[in-house]
Amino acid sequence: MSQTQHSSEDLPRRSFAAKCLAAFLGIVAVGVPTWSGLAVLFDPLRNKKNGDGNWIRIASLSQIPPDGKPHVFSVIIPEPRDKWNLYDPQPEKPVFLVRDGEDADLVALSSVCPHLGCKVSYKPTTEELICPCHNALFDKRGKQTEGSTVSPRDLDPLEVEVDQVTGDVMINYKRFKGGIAERVEV
Amino acid sequence: MNRLADWLDDRTGFRRAVHVVFFKRIPGGARWRYVWGTALLFAVVVQFITGIFLWMHYSPSTQTAWESVYYIEHQMEGGSLLRGIHHYMSSAVMILMAIHLLQVVIYGAYRAPREVNYWIGLAMMLVLFGLGQTGYLLPWDQRGYQATKVATTIAGVSPGIGDQAKAVALGGDDFGHHTLTRFLALHAGVLPGILILLLVLHAAIGRRHGYTPPDDADTPDGVYWPDQAIRDGIACLAVLGTVLAVWAWRPAELGPPADGTVEFNTARPEWYFRFLFQMLKYFEGESGMFVAAQLIPGAVLAVLVLMPFIGRWQLGQRFNVLFIFAALAGIVILSFISFNEDYNQTTEKSQHYLHDLALANAEAERALELAKIGIPATGAREQTRSDPMIAGRRLYKQHCASCHSHHDPDLEDPHAGSPLLTVVSEEPSAANLYGFGSRRWMEGMLNAEQIAGPDYFGHTIFADGEMVDWVNTTIQDETEELPDDEKNAFSFKVKAAAWAISSLAELPYQAEADARDQAQLEQGMEIVINELSCIDCHTLGEEEVGAGPDLTGYASEEWLTEFIRNPQTERFYYSEDNYDEVDKLMPGFATHVDDPKLNKLTDKEISLIVRWMRRDWPTMEPNESASGDDEPNASDAE
């Protein structure tokens, strides 16, 4: 202030409180609208889905050959929502079901590569699951093949349940965070 | 820190720039009357801030615009506040702009050397009008849609380039996807861009000239910071506080989704364009529209532009002040007349408007309920068109209301009931079908006073028919002959019979009561069959008899559907009693079984009407959360 030749120089300096008040008024006036915008912007962080599961019927037990190989089954979300829309049933990324024998436990694997999220597929000639993006390799049970170090972890297993009466195969469909060694649901 | 500031100042000169703003000279010291320009700037800045956040969540297409605004308003935390500030601050902008302009004219601040800056201000006014007009359409609700239709029709009759201008604005001959993309680009891109440019010029030139001092200023000059800044800050907060208060009192509205094919009688422009809306009423025909919407506003604008020159003339300044007040008074008076026409509650026109407004609000509320259940990919318009509550009522009004009213007979004012359940026929010539088949309805049917009255057979040939005769003799006369202590018992039996027949309708809104009163209903059916002997004339179940309409499943979905399809059949009204009076019976609406094209109503339309009359529509489960719930529930995915 002292550097200017402005006429203001001659005026008495206003008190510190007056300046604080002026600054406060300005900040509040612009702050409230900005805050309302930021509240909406960060809405996705507040409305996280609760994680009590998303059980979906995907097959009958009899449809899965007990040959120990991964078989692809499509996942149909019955009531998919996207913001305001409620859609008719829509397919999601499919899952692999592996059944070693008639009495063996059923294994369900997500088809999403834990590396960077591409869709892996089964290659019958080498009996491996292969990711087309960065050549990550997994065995028939989803364990990363020795020598392949691209993926930070094995394929993600999904909870699976078989209704003993009807033979309906239910899976708890989930998505996991890619690119990290730990298995974190998203 | 200081060294960093020095370094930066050396390269940018920011200290000087800050200094120019904060230590601007205030002629005559800080004053309240200097706050208006800043308050207007503040309101515009708030529109920029809130607008950008709204833009991030808005989806411009005919199937997502209303839907995304609904989602902001009702599903996102803080969304209603954000949209409320943006909505009401646009009104604040208009008011502050008027005050600013008024002040400029009163103090003659447009005179040399400020003419150019004054003209820039006028240009900004037009841009702000444009922002108001384009923003009104974006929510794509009935109000904005219909009002914008009017505005673009006016633009379309501009001499010479009208059609082309309209087609370019709409992105085609009619409203559609590109209307929204273009209006959004104008509203959020082009116009704000122009506004910023003009604003910067306005501020820079304004800085050069400084505040316009009052003529009688004898106080010493001051500087902006902090004395004037405090006053400005208080003014801005007062503006914001007012906007927030209005929002808290009444959040920004979202009408029913835009649908150009249905009746909507409450299309009105935003309040600050009401005067134009009103003026159009006084000028008739094509030339009148040009005069009211273009010539007169154009002339007013021309005078405003010329004010710096007029002001040079001796009495010019006085003329200018007089003119601006006259223009303002004209706007206020026209707006007042317009609002008064709508809201005075005494004229027939106003009452119609208020009924239509209540209906529009009820449709909007229903559309929100449907949206909370989940909007199909085809959008909310399609959803309302297949909703029995909204579309069923519209179809009833269109196809049934020339004869049948549908309003609560217990209310003195037929319009007083729930708007979505009310259709008042101008000249009813048949029964009032409100609650058709309900207990209340059936009780009235078996009541001598009511059955021949206007809500039942009063207007029809059946007023002298056998049913009325039977009620008069069997029920009315018999009751009168009974000793007093048995009268009650008999009327109770009649009531039980009425309820039993009503249960045949299986009305959703009576389901609970029907289940609860199972035992009484069985007794009532005994009375129907054995004591009142309804089956002497009416078929009921297996036994086919008589000339009266079939009572099997009376008023049920199947019964009503078939009845509307063709009531002139043996099952319903066609009998030897009225062979010669067929033209006085209700016509069939879907009599051509083999060639559905020839039917007046499609099966879907009949179904909507039937479901509306039976109040059979999807509702939100009370415990159902609106977002992210994957549990199967009562869905409306039709």
Side-chain angles (χ1 to χ4, degrees):
Chain A
M1 203 164 167
S2 54
Q3 304 167 359
T4 75
Q5 294 93 44
H6 222 274
S7 60
S8 60
E9 220 178 345
D10 313 325
L11 294 168
R13 284 195 177 199
R14 300 308 298 187
S15 69
F16 182 67
K19 289 177 184 173
C20 285
L21 179 62
F24 174 75
L25 292 171
I27 289 167
V28 172
V30 179
V32 171
T34 309
W35 175 80
S36 76
L38 291 174
V40 173
L41 183 68
F42 294 127
D43 177 82
L45 300 184
R46 280 191 304 266
N47 288 323
K48 285 252 173 182
K49 243 176 112 172
N50 51 355
D52 53 350
N54 187 13
W55 286 90
I56 295 169
R57 180 198 178 277
I58 54 167
S60 261
L61 190 61
S62 58
Q63 292 174 303
I64 311 160
D67 55 5
K69 290 178 187 164
H71 295 273
V72 181
F73 284 86
S74 35
V75 174
I76 308 290
I77 309 283
E79 290 194 321
R81 284 178 180 271
D82 180 10
K83 299 295 172 278
W84 53 86
N85 276 138
L86 170 65
Y87 292 106
D88 292 338
Q90 302 274 320
E92 249 295 346
K93 285 204 177 112
V95 294
F96 294 108
L97 292 176
V98 193
R99 199 173 162 211
D100 280 339
E102 286 291 347
D103 301 319
D105 279 345
L106 199 57
V107 174
L109 296 171
S110 165
S111 67
V112 180
C113 180
H115 180 217
L116 290 169
C118 298
K119 193 175 145 292
V120 300
S121 51
Y122 181 62
K123 200 174 172 194
T125 48
T126 57
E127 300 208 322
E128 273 174 328
L129 289 159
I130 179 165
C131 176
C133 292
H134 306 98
N135 300 332
L137 292 172
F138 308 90
D139 71 12
K140 290 186 282 184
R141 306 296 295 251
K143 211 172 145 37
Q144 190 158 207
T145 315
E146 231 165 286
S148 166
T149 51
V150 175
S151 174
R153 62 171 189 265
D154 298 338
L155 280 180
D156 300 309
L158 298 168
E159 287 175 80
V160 58
E161 259 172 31
V162 180
D163 189 318
Q164 295 306 328
V165 183
T166 60
D168 286 341
V169 177
M170 311 283 293
I171 59 152
N172 190 1
Y173 191 75
K174 285 176 183 170
R175 276 172 275 234
F176 301 91
K177 189 172 170 181
I180 56 170
E182 203 187 339
R183 187 164 287 137
V184 183
E185 196 188 335
V186 290
Chain B
M1 193 64 198
N2 252 340
R3 282 185 51 205
L4 183 69
D6 287 345
W7 182 86
L8 200 64
D9 188 39
D10 193 34
R11 279 143 188 91
T12 62
F14 80 93
R15 282 205 175 107
R16 174 89 203 135
V18 170
H19 201 274
V20 165
V21 173
F22 277 81
F23 300 101
K24 180 159 82 168
R25 192 176 66 89
I26 307 289
R31 272 158 203 274
W32 281 106
R33 73 170 184 80
Y34 290 152
V35 302
W36 296 106
T38 315
L40 175 55
L41 175 67
F42 165 74
V44 170
V45 168
V46 169
Q47 293 302 73
F48 273 95
I49 295 170
T50 50
I52 284 172
F53 286 111
L54 285 170
W55 188 8
M56 291 180 198
H57 302 96
Y58 177 72
S59 175
S61 83
T62 58
Q63 278 138 30
T64 58
W66 186 91
E67 293 76 359
S68 61
V69 175
Y70 144 76
Y71 197 77
I72 295 169
E73 181 73 38
H74 293 280
Q75 296 295 339
M76 302 190 82
E77 274 188 59
S80 176
L81 175 63
L82 176 67
R83 181 165 167 261
I85 293 177
H86 196 73
H87 177 81
Y88 287 117
M89 195 60 87
S90 77
S91 292
V93 167
M94 295 299 162
I95 294 170
L96 292 168
M97 192 172 70
I99 294 174
H100 191 54
L101 177 64
L102 208 59
Q103 209 174 21
V104 164
V105 174
I106 292 172
Y107 291 100
Y110 49 74
R111 282 177 295 198
R114 296 186 170 86
E115 303 100 315
V116 174
N117 215 20
Y118 168 74
W119 289 327
I120 292 174
L122 288 182
M124 284 199 286
M125 179 176 83
L126 297 183
V127 173
L128 288 172
F129 280 150
L131 282 163
Q133 185 65 56
T134 49
Y136 200 51
L137 176 74
L138 295 180
W140 204 243
D141 61 356
Q142 281 287 47
R143 238 165 29 119
Y145 175 86
Q146 306 282 2
T148 311
K149 277 232 146 160
V150 173
T152 53
T153 306
I154 292 171
V157 297
S158 307
I161 52 149
D163 286 329
Q164 287 81 353
K166 185 182 168 191
V168 170
L170 298 186
D173 295 332
D174 203 355
F175 281 52
H177 291 316
H178 274 180
T179 314
L180 281 165
T181 52
R182 281 174 188 227
F183 269 58
L184 177 63
L186 279 176
H187 185 78
V190 178
L191 293 174
I194 297 174
L195 190 63
I196 289 177
L197 193 74
L198 294 173
L199 211 57
V200 168
L201 285 174
H202 198 67
I205 299 173
R207 182 128 302 123
R208 188 182 144 97
H209 300 313
Y211 287 93
T212 310
D215 297 332
D216 55 351
D218 51 2
T219 44
D221 289 357
V223 289
Y224 185 76
W225 180 260
D227 284 7
Q228 185 63 38
I230 288 179
R231 286 172 170 78
D232 284 357
I234 290 171
C236 295
L237 269 190
V239 170
L240 182 68
T242 310
V243 164
L244 292 178
V246 176
W247 167 76
W249 171 57
R250 196 165 280 188
E253 274 184 23
L254 180 62
D259 188 344
T261 62
V262 301
E263 191 180 350
F264 186 77
N265 301 329
T266 51
R268 295 289 184 273
E270 190 60 300
W271 66 265
Y272 44 80
F273 287 129
R274 273 273 181 153
F275 69 99
L276 279 176
F277 167 81
Q278 185 64 20
M279 205 150 65
L280 280 166
K281 295 184 187 170
Y282 303 122
F283 294 88
E284 283 155 10
E286 197 183 321
S287 59
M289 202 186 295
F290 173 70
V291 171
Q294 281 157 341
L295 198 64
I296 294 179
V300 171
L301 190 66
V303 174
L304 285 177
V305 170
L306 292 175
M307 274 191 181
F309 303 114
I310 302 170
R312 284 192 213 160
W313 182 52
Q314 259 186 329
L315 290 172
Q317 163 64 7
R318 278 197 197 164
F319 167 82
N320 284 344
V321 174
L322 214 62
F323 180 84
I324 197 86
F325 273 107
L328 200 67
I331 289 172
V332 170
I333 290 168
L334 284 170
S335 305
F336 174 79
I337 295 173
S338 174
F339 279 107
N340 188 51
E341 268 186 25
D342 282 348
Y343 289 96
N344 69 56
Q345 298 183 1
T346 48
T347 61
E348 198 183 332
K349 200 168 173 297
S350 163
Q351 284 165 357
H352 274 280
Y353 174 81
L354 292 172
H355 293 149
D356 289 336
L357 194 64
L359 175 66
N361 290 338
E363 283 192 356
E365 206 176 303
R366 173 62 180 166
L368 289 183
E369 189 185 7
L370 289 172
K372 280 176 187 159
I373 295 170
I375 302 170
T378 45
R381 183 180 68 173
E382 204 54 42
Q383 194 178 22
T384 55
R385 281 180 181 178
S386 33
D387 175 45
M389 199 168 181
I390 293 179
R393 184 193 168 281
R394 288 173 182 164
L395 288 164
Y396 183 98
K397 186 171 183 202
Q398 198 176 335
H399 297 283
C400 314
S402 56
C403 302
H404 291 283
S405 269
H406 188 289
H407 59 78
D408 190 344
D410 292 333
L411 299 172
E412 206 172 309
D413 174 8
H415 293 283
S418 159
L420 282 177
L421 285 176
T422 303
V423 174
V424 182
S425 174
E426 299 284 333
E427 242 180 298
S429 59
N432 171 7
L433 295 176
Y434 186 89
F436 178 71
S438 66
R439 292 177 174 185
R440 163 84 176 70
W441 165 275
M442 285 313 305
E443 283 175 37
M445 193 81 171
L446 299 182
N447 179 307
E449 277 166 36
Q450 293 189 43
I451 188 168
D455 286 328
Y456 290 87
F457 291 143
H459 299 296
T460 70
I461 57 167
F462 303 111
D464 309 314
E466 284 187 32
M467 182 69 188
V468 173
D469 192 46
W470 180 83
V471 170
N472 278 332
T473 52
T474 311
I475 293 179
Q476 182 71 5
D477 297 350
E478 226 170 275
T479 313
E480 273 167 22
E481 281 163 21
L482 285 171
D484 279 354
D485 54 335
E486 285 174 37
K487 271 184 182 153
N488 262 347
F490 184 72
S491 70
F492 192 80
K493 279 185 178 174
V494 173
K495 195 172 182 175
W499 286 21
I501 296 191
S502 169
S503 73
L504 301 174
E506 297 182 337
L507 292 168
Y509 59 92
Q510 269 183 192
E512 238 174 81
D514 285 347
R516 188 188 59 218
D517 304 333
Q518 193 69 45
Q520 287 101 306
L521 295 177
E522 273 168 31
Q523 286 172 10
M525 199 46 84
E526 281 291 304
I527 297 166
V528 167
I529 294 168
N530 297 324
E531 291 196 34
L532 297 178
S533 304
C534 302
I535 52 172
D536 284 354
C537 302
H538 294 280
T539 300
L540 183 54
E542 300 296 303
E543 295 174 57
E544 285 194 32
V545 282
D550 186 6
L551 278 186
T552 318
Y554 181 75
S556 66
E557 188 160 1
E558 187 272 342
W559 190 96
L560 253 180
T561 306
E562 288 307 313
F563 191 93
I564 295 171
R565 290 180 74 89
N566 191 4
Q568 300 179 13
T569 57
E570 299 283 346
R571 182 179 173 189
F572 301 115
Y573 280 158
Y574 196 61
S575 69
E576 52 192 74
D577 296 341
N578 50 38
Y579 283 155
D580 52 341
E581 290 183 301
V582 166
D583 57 326
K584 289 177 186 160
L585 295 176
M586 171 174 156
F589 285 80
T591 51
H592 302 270
V593 184
D594 301 329
D595 196 356
K597 279 202 308 290
L598 297 174
N599 289 336
K600 270 196 220 162
L601 289 172
T602 64
D603 287 354
K604 191 188 169 191
E605 287 171 322
I606 293 177
S607 164
L608 284 169
I609 293 173
V610 167
R611 290 181 66 191
W612 179 68
M613 289 172 63
R614 296 170 46 76
R615 300 180 207 172
D616 175 14
W617 43 61
T619 51
M620 187 93 170
E621 301 282 327
N623 56 350
E624 183 185 331
S625 76
S627 60
D629 191 347
D630 286 320
E631 284 295 305
N633 49 43
S635 77
D636 184 56
E638 274 183 46

